[in-house]
Amino acid sequence: MTIEIIGTGRSIPPRRVSNQELADRIDTSDEWIRSHTGIGNRHIAEEGVAASDLGADAAREALLCAIDRGLVTEKTPEELALTVDLIVLSSATQDFFSHPATSCIVQHLLGAKNAAAMDITVACSGFIYGLETAAAMLKADFRRKRALVIGTEVLSRITNWDDRSNCILFGDGAGAVLIEKNDTSNQNAGQTGLLRTILGSDGSGWEYLILRRGGSRNPWKKGEVVEEVPAIAMNGQAVYNFAVGVITETLARIMKEENIALEDLALVIPHQANARIIQAAAKRLKIPEEKFYLNMEEYANTSSASIPIALDELNRSGKLKKGDLIITVGFGGGLTYGGNLIRW
Ligand code: UT7
């Protein structure tokens, strides 16, 4: 039985905000942001555009991708959407607090009437967790065949644009993949698709990346005057250290346990938080930096969308070849982390 990625898609808001544009408003500079993070730009969603809008657009692109490549018999995204059994969506910026799940709104926007829909909230590790969740649920029931895995974020809505240590990091966007289960008795075919996933968490760091207001621990109170938009609060140094540690460990474990030599690895696709985090992990692992695909220069950190956006860029540009061995790796609020080993 294999779980293959048969379509990828992304949705990037057209409005592009450069470091210089931020530096015109707050006390920062293009030089500081680039040298400390590798970020050059970010894209910001227009007012009124929510996570479900970007998520549905990215998912539609993933459906179209599978059709265009002749990997399905359906001829339109609408027709193909009807064959989707499950939508797993990750977002730290869901359309609504608590419910409805943003995945349900995406299901409606796509007309994916036969799909179950669920959200997961593991922040930036969301795509990695989502892929494993969807794959496991397809494998669990022979009737389920296809799933959409979506990461979608409008982080600009929960960013404090006056906090220079924080607001320079984030951007908006969505990425999606369409996965398909194939039952096969062919031994060789059994070695493609999603091969292995590592997932983990360290709840002792729950305060390091947090949106403090609105939940049952700290609810809004009647009559309360809100002076500031609720924004991401972060202990940057603690998250940085955690990130370098878990990226290093996760990659080392996957490569050791799955017997992967460096020359067999085509690419690592990390969560696009900070180029320095990746450089530090690469150095510890003695993996050349060129093996890591980085696009934070253009999109900044789009949380759970960053890995599927990167996958879509690589897929469409032809940089991923059939048979390539790739590893996704990431970390996020919770704290959470993980990695997927995929043979393309
Ligand atoms: O998806 C997960 C999301 N989170 C992360 O990935 C965060 C991980 N952490 C980081 O990426 C880094 O910790 C940051 C990029 C957030 C910060 O970088 P840093 O090298 O750890 O900087 P710092 O916080 O130690 O600050 C160094 C200096 C400070 O000035 P002083 O006290 O030395 O005078 C800051 O006030 O840099 C200053 N600073 C800035 N200066 C110009 C902080 N932000 C800025 C800024 N522009 N935007």
Side-chain angles (χ1 to χ4, degrees), residues 163-242:
D163 177 357
R164 69 174 183 169
S165 63
N166 205 320
C167 73
I168 50 127
L169 297 174
F170 301 110
D172 301 339
V177 299
L178 176 65
I179 62 172
E180 183 176 80
K181 176 180 67 180
N182 285 304
D183 296 302
T184 172
S185 51
N186 180 339
Q187 291 290 319
N188 294 331
Q191 292 167 358
T192 61
L194 179 64
L195 304 180
R196 168 87 195 274
T197 296
I198 286 179
L199 301 176
S201 62
D202 178 2
S204 70
W206 64 271
E207 278 202 277
Y208 294 158
L209 256 172
I210 188 166
L211 196 69
R212 291 190 186 278
R213 295 305 310 274
S216 59
R217 192 170 293 282
N218 205 354
W220 301 113
K221 297 189 183 78
K222 193 175 173 191
E224 184 177 357
V225 177
V226 181
E227 298 196 336
E228 276 181 8
V229 177
I232 305 166
M234 182 177 74
N235 180 333
Q237 198 58 53
V239 175
Y240 185 100
N241 293 337
F242 173 78

Side-chain angles (χ1 to χ4, degrees), residues 8-12 54 57-59 61-62 173-176 299 305 308-314 316-317:
T8 63
R10 68 181 187 274
S11 175
I12 307 296
L54 296 180
D57 283 350
E61 290 301 317
Y299 305 118
I309 288 173
L311 277 175
D312 186 55
E313 280 193 331
L314 288 162
R316 282 171 199 267
S317 63

Side-chain angles (χ1 to χ4, degrees), residues 46-311:
E46 274 174 43
E47 212 179 318
V49 172
S52 64
D53 299 314
L54 296 180
D57 283 350
R60 216 172 278 113
E61 290 301 317
L63 296 171
L64 263 173
C65 172
I67 295 167
D68 290 346
R69 298 198 173 182
L71 298 174
V72 293
T73 53
E74 290 76 12
K75 298 279 180 269
T76 65
E78 293 74 23
E79 210 186 317
L80 184 53
L82 289 172
T83 72
V84 173
D85 301 293
L86 174 68
I87 298 173
V88 177
L89 181 146
S90 167
S91 183
T93 49
Q94 293 101 323
D95 286 23
F96 298 100
F97 169 66
S98 177
H99 56 277
T102 302
S103 52
C104 288
I105 302 173
V106 168
Q107 185 252 10
H108 173 64
L109 291 171
L110 294 175
K113 289 185 182 149
N114 301 307
M118 62 186 280
D119 285 12
I120 51 176
T121 53
V122 288
C124 309
S125 312
F127 180 78
I128 294 164
Y129 269 69
L131 191 57
E132 176 70 356
T133 303
M137 288 177 73
L138 291 188
K139 285 181 186 165
D141 189 329
F142 73 91
R143 295 168 200 84
R144 298 189 195 119
K145 188 168 167 67
R146 287 178 181 152
L148 279 163
V149 182
I150 303 168
T152 180
E153 304 288 357
V154 191
L155 293 164
S156 57
R157 304 272 157 73
I158 57 164
T159 297
N160 177 352
W161 290 99
D162 298 323
D163 177 357
R164 69 174 183 169
S165 63
N166 205 320
C167 73
I168 50 127
L169 297 174
F170 301 110
D172 301 339
V177 299
L178 176 65
I179 62 172
E180 183 176 80
K181 176 180 67 180
N182 285 304
D183 296 302
T184 172
S185 51
N186 180 339
Q187 291 290 319
N188 294 331
Q191 292 167 358
T192 61
L194 179 64
L195 304 180
R196 168 87 195 274
T197 296
I198 286 179
L199 301 176
S201 62
D202 178 2
S204 70
W206 64 271
E207 278 202 277
Y208 294 158
L209 256 172
I210 188 166
L211 196 69
R212 291 190 186 278
R213 295 305 310 274
S216 59
R217 192 170 293 282
N218 205 354
W220 301 113
K221 297 189 183 78
K222 193 175 173 191
E224 184 177 357
V225 177
V226 181
E227 298 196 336
E228 276 181 8
V229 177
I232 305 166
M234 182 177 74
N235 180 333
Q237 198 58 53
V239 175
Y240 185 100
N241 293 337
F242 173 78
V244 175
V246 293
I247 287 178
T248 307
E249 274 168 43
T250 304
L251 282 174
R253 251 188 82 193
I254 292 181
M255 291 181 71
K256 181 161 182 264
E257 291 173 9
E258 301 301 320
N259 253 324
I260 297 166
L262 190 53
E263 55 272 24
D264 297 334
L265 184 62
L267 265 184
V268 178
I269 302 168
H271 168 46
Q272 307 286 320
N274 183 330
R276 279 169 54 215
I277 292 175
I278 308 306
Q279 284 152 4
K283 197 169 165 197
R284 283 192 194 178
L285 289 159
K286 299 193 175 61
I287 298 180
E289 279 178 41
E290 307 77 69
K291 286 255 184 200
F292 290 79
Y293 181 72
L294 300 185
N295 66 9
M296 71 275 283
E297 202 281 330
E298 180 60 29
Y299 305 118
N301 176 350
T302 56
S303 189
S304 61
S306 83
I307 290 174
I309 288 173
L311 277 175

